[in-house]
Amino acid sequence: MRLSSILLFASAVSLTACNKFLDVKPKGKLIPREVSEFNKLLDNADVVRYPFLNNNTTSMLGYMTDNLTLSEGIGKVFYKANNSPNIDNYYSYIFRPPFRNPTLIDYFWEWGTYRSMKYINNVIDGVKEIRTTQNAEEADAVLAQAYVARAWSYFHATLVYGPVYKPGGGNTAKTIPYLTTANVDAPMPDLSTQEEVFAKVLADLHAALPISPVSVNHPSRANKVATQTMLAYYHLFTQKYDSVAYYANLAWTAAAANGVDKVLYDFNTLSLANPANPAASQVNSPDSKIHLPTSREMLFFRASDVRSGRSNNSYPSAEFIALFDPATDLRYQYWLLTAPGYKTTYNGVVYDDGPKLQYFRGETVSGGLPRFQMTAGFSYPELLLMRAEAYARTNRLAEAMADVNLLRKFRMAPGTPDLTMPAGQDAVIDLVLQERRRELPLAHMKRFFDLKRFCLESGKPWGKTTISHTVGTEMYEGKIDDPLFILPKTNSVLMFNPQWGIAPDTRPFN
């Protein structure tokens, strides 16, 4: 949109309104005038709870990947016949554009990206204005956390609303406005090209790096390790794997300095609170935090899709399930459980999926908390596997395998042997990426972005160029390096920004 509708911030927070008559703060209002007060804005739930999630906290991005599958009943009845409010999950799964009604709100754009920017940019503008030599240390720590939050959000947005990023290519497609001011009266910036967004993300991260705090009060904030991890992740897409190795090694070394067991859970120490009903049971961990955003494995917290992978929404794909050894992999035993599948009768036809293996990792159980907390940000296991991938891609094969086997010691049943060195670099990379796929959340956006970077490696075991889905006997196929994998801007955004020169989407939706 003109973004004014989603970037408006209460005038009480406006940096241009801090006049003397505001010395008396209205009850219940926060008028930031100190660094500590701006700092509190970063605790707003809007910063963490909507990244690329729809109104029911699932994400169509996951439905475009090879991690999910739909039965005929789920696809044709639960989604299509019932006109589900999340019909975009179904249309993206069958690669039928437009995936969403182009006349309605785009939750990814308005809730997931630019709503958070009204807080982030206010913090950056406000803290810069009041920073002095006396408060510099406190101010810089807050600025660093805001810079990383902004970079993380815009980096993913340009990959959602833009094409596959091609290292060494022009990357001239215009994707998103990199809005960096809290002033709603400022002229709306033009769309940045994907290359420009990457450059601005990198500038934000490098601005944050030297001033990032070593520790923060909650994983929703970026500490120095999280900043280094984001730099490593950024360079996975630029294919500068020596830089990935450099930043991931700095981050992992610092994170694990007091012991690997401080950042990884040993799944052999976990147990079910109610073994008689595993699907509805909370999981006990030694610190009783495995279900919280403050879980020891949580590095940088952003809300994730915790519902997909279970009926009624979807099931884990056969390909995903096959990644796990049911006998030795404790992740399989905790995350993949058999439960009744989707069942309904529609127009006299019975749809009954019967017992199905489903993904219960994020299932909400006692107290409204998930069995395992997941993140769309970064976990420590993902960080370790980023280092492993970088080592494998730079031909440091023994070090890559050591990282994979280190993680597996915390995931596999006692007595499970280490993976042995396979023949050749590609085989090592493939093992690392299989482990990465197991460890990351099933749905949401992680696999979506991985597929967009892997499609440039056609012919490699991991280098898929197309995704195939089925609904009953019908098959659908989508090419990854294609406009299908670029989400269009909704008409409500385009209407307020005619200067972008993008025509509204007039395709029929139903």
Side-chain angles (χ1 to χ4, degrees), residues 52 113-114 117 147-163 165 175-178 193-202 204-205 229-239 376 378 382 386 436 445-446 448-450 452-453:
F52 306 103
T113 301
Y114 289 100
M117 287 305 156
Y147 283 138
V148 176
R150 185 166 73 184
W152 183 91
S153 187
Y154 283 150
F155 180 72
H156 291 97
T158 195
L159 294 171
V160 167
Y161 295 100
Y165 180 83
T175 59
I176 61 169
Y178 205 100
T193 68
Q194 198 166 52
E195 194 64 54
E196 289 169 343
V197 174
F198 266 56
K200 292 171 182 177
V201 164
L202 190 61
D204 271 348
L205 292 174
T229 301
M230 181 62 207
L231 279 161
Y233 184 69
Y234 169 94
H235 284 299
L236 285 176
F237 290 82
T238 65
Q239 295 183 353
F378 299 112
E382 183 183 0
M386 273 196 263
R436 175 178 171 84
M445 62 190 202
K446 290 285 189 178
F448 176 84
F449 293 132
D450 275 354
K452 290 190 86 165
R453 69 183 176 98

Side-chain angles (χ1 to χ4, degrees), residues 48-70:
V48 302
R49 64 179 169 177
Y50 296 125
F52 306 103
L53 292 169
N54 62 26
N55 57 319
N56 284 316
T57 62
T58 61
S59 179
M60 59 172 283
L61 299 181
Y63 288 77
M64 301 177 75
T65 75
D66 49 4
N67 276 358
L68 295 176
T69 189
L70 302 184

Side-chain angles (χ1 to χ4, degrees), residues 50-126:
Y50 296 125
F52 306 103
L53 292 169
N54 62 26
N55 57 319
N56 284 316
T57 62
T58 61
S59 179
M60 59 172 283
L61 299 181
Y63 288 77
M64 301 177 75
T65 75
D66 49 4
N67 276 358
L68 295 176
T69 189
L70 302 184
S71 68
E72 188 173 23
I74 292 177
K76 294 185 176 180
V77 181
F78 177 77
Y79 282 115
K80 188 67 171 73
N82 291 336
N83 194 27
S84 166
N86 300 129
I87 190 72
D88 55 330
N89 290 348
Y90 175 66
Y91 285 149
S92 59
Y93 179 82
I94 65 172
F95 303 113
R96 193 229 75 166
F99 304 144
R100 296 168 166 158
N101 187 333
T103 66
L104 299 181
I105 186 174
D106 178 354
Y107 290 98
F108 291 2
W109 182 281
E110 299 192 25
W111 287 23
T113 301
Y114 289 100
R115 178 179 285 193
S116 65
M117 287 305 156
K118 69 185 179 184
Y119 300 102
I120 293 168
N121 285 331
N122 264 282
V123 170
I124 293 172
D125 284 356

